[in-house]
Amino acid sequence: MEKLRIKLEKWVNGGFCLAHHEGHAVFVEGGLPGELVDISLYKTGKKEWFGTVSEVLEASEKRIPSDCSVFMECGGCSYRHISYEQEIELKTSLLTAMFPEWKEKLEVVRGPENEYRNNVQWQSNGKEIGYFAKNTHRIVNDSHSVCKTIDKRLLWDLVPQGIKKSVSKQKSIQLRLSSKSIVNYERDQTEINVQNTKLKVPERGFFQINQFLLEPWLLKIKSLLPDSSEVLELFCGCGSIGISIREKIKSLYGMESHEKSIRYAKENAKVNVALSFEYEVSDLYQKHLPKHVAKFPIWIVNPPRAGLTEGIIESASLFSPKQIIYSSCNPSTLKRDIVRLESIGYRLEFMGLFDFFPRTQHYEVLVSLKK
């Protein structure tokens, strides 16, 4: 691994500090702006290089000692060398740099910085269990017992023996909190209680990971809806958003490509007496939306990191819904999609940063656009 001594300039997205060396942009993990550091390069392209701090020669006054013994080795967290206050300021400034007009209006919602994750994916090589070191298949010593981001009950040492026996031969061990137990979510369904709502999530089904911010996020979505809303919910999963805020919704049509999630959405709607809710299996990355959903004046969309397709944007142009509520875990694709939506007549009315992933580079952004 090539070593390099470099002065770090500023924060950029992805948990990196930016520096420059001999015409190359150098993206560095584990540093702070203004620091002089030695780095180990792990990727060198024609224009961009990537590296990790190996030694700090001149430290920033904002640097704090990490509270995790495997920080930077496991690669899960990006910001354990600054305070959580600093991290929130950083995420806010990175987001408002993309949306300058929201600098004074951005709503920021945060919760506890540790023990927030309701699931974990442990790796096993037959002898050790833990997280892989970044960019390797080597398990990081002690990572199974020291991770700060997951609920303590998911630390391997505290997992009940019965569950350990049932998953011990697997290479990837996927655990999630389920009402009052722990389940292997690759194989078993999860039960979640939120907002006077009982939800079942199928095995391998997606569910938001931050157990503390789930309710504030749902309440904010609910507050953005008018009474008696008629809603089209795209990427609806097992129906969790619409069903949890059903008091505001007169009728709902949910679409999702995962067939089992749609089956669960129908069941969840029934159990929670959301009797006017309908669901359809549909690959939203393949085509335009069907004409029969044109009648819904409000859309709620919660896509994967890739964001919305041209087909969905074109359908918005054609069907002209009055309001689009969009929750995104990728600010870059969100920015792209907002520019597209603004070009067909939508205006951004609300933006909120929900720090679903404290101590990591990631966060959720919730926006509402109106025609």
Side-chain angles (χ1 to χ4, degrees), residues 98-254:
M98 298 169 79
F99 299 95
E101 67 279 20
W102 285 86
K103 199 166 186 178
E104 305 302 323
K105 299 180 284 181
L106 179 71
E107 197 170 301
V108 179
V109 182
R110 55 186 271 193
E113 65 185 90
N114 288 322
E115 296 177 38
Y116 58 86
R117 287 186 65 105
N118 61 21
N119 71 19
V120 67
Q121 188 171 319
W122 296 121
Q123 306 297 337
S124 171
N125 60 13
K127 295 174 187 173
E128 307 159 290
I129 285 174
Y131 294 132
F132 284 146
K134 193 162 186 172
N135 303 320
T136 76
H137 286 109
R138 174 180 66 78
I139 287 173
V140 178
N141 287 343
D142 300 331
S143 55
H144 68 280
S145 61
V146 300
C147 179
K148 302 273 184 192
T149 61
I150 60 172
D151 187 295
K152 273 200 170 88
R153 290 168 286 180
L154 296 170
L155 290 171
W156 186 249
D157 298 354
L158 302 179
V159 170
Q161 284 302 326
I163 293 171
K164 281 185 177 177
K165 275 183 190 167
S166 70
V167 296
S168 59
K169 289 188 171 66
Q170 292 172 239
K171 285 184 175 175
S172 180
I173 300 164
Q174 299 174 336
L175 304 177
R176 187 187 267 158
L177 300 180
S178 174
S179 47
K180 290 182 178 132
S181 65
I182 293 168
V183 297
N184 170 7
Y185 70 85
E186 191 175 37
R187 203 182 55 202
D188 305 317
Q189 70 176 23
T190 313
E191 294 178 16
I192 309 264
N193 297 332
V194 62
Q195 277 287 98
N196 303 318
T197 303
K198 290 186 174 178
L199 296 168
K200 287 185 179 174
V201 186
E203 66 273 19
R204 297 183 186 172
F206 169 77
F207 202 80
Q208 296 289 9
I209 67 159
N210 191 312
Q211 57 185 324
F212 303 119
L213 290 196
L214 181 59
E215 201 156 300
W217 176 68
L218 289 167
L219 285 170
K220 177 47 74 174
I221 295 172
K222 188 177 180 180
S223 76
L224 294 168
L225 287 176
D227 290 336
S228 301
S229 293
E230 294 172 284
V231 172
L232 174 66
E233 187 179 352
L234 303 180
F235 308 97
C236 66
C238 61
S240 52
I241 297 178
I243 294 167
S244 300
I245 59 174
R246 60 195 176 279
E247 296 91 344
K248 273 275 192 90
I249 298 175
K250 182 178 159 190
S251 64
L252 178 142
Y253 199 88

Side-chain angles (χ1 to χ4, degrees), residues 257-272:
S257 63
H258 189 226
E259 187 269 334
K260 190 168 258 188
S261 288
I262 287 294
R263 260 196 315 188
Y264 271 68
K266 289 175 179 175
E267 188 57 35
N268 286 332
K270 205 155 102 185
V271 166
N272 292 286

Side-chain angles (χ1 to χ4, degrees), residues 42-108:
Y42 60 81
K43 186 178 173 187
T44 50
K46 284 184 179 174
K47 290 184 179 176
E48 298 175 341
W49 292 357
F50 292 84
T52 306
V53 170
S54 52
E55 192 178 346
V56 180
L57 303 167
E58 292 173 12
S60 162
E61 59 187 23
K62 291 178 177 171
R63 178 176 282 275
I64 63 167
S66 165
D67 59 352
C68 176
S69 58
V70 299
F71 174 55
M72 293 313 296
E73 193 184 357
C74 92
C77 294
S78 299
Y79 299 127
R80 291 202 171 270
H81 57 321
I82 57 174
S83 71
Y84 188 42
E85 294 298 328
Q86 289 284 333
E87 178 187 335
I88 290 290
E89 280 178 31
L90 167 59
K91 287 177 173 176
T92 301
S93 69
L94 289 171
L95 181 59
T96 54
M98 298 169 79
F99 299 95
E101 67 279 20
W102 285 86
K103 199 166 186 178
E104 305 302 323
K105 299 180 284 181
L106 179 71
E107 197 170 301
V108 179

Side-chain angles (χ1 to χ4, degrees), residues 10 28 95 129 171 264-265 268 275 286 323 334 339 353:
K10 64 174 185 175
V28 179
L95 181 59
I129 285 174
K171 285 184 175 175
Y264 271 68
N268 286 332
L275 303 179
Q286 284 303 320
Q323 182 181 14
L334 175 69
V339 168
L353 187 163

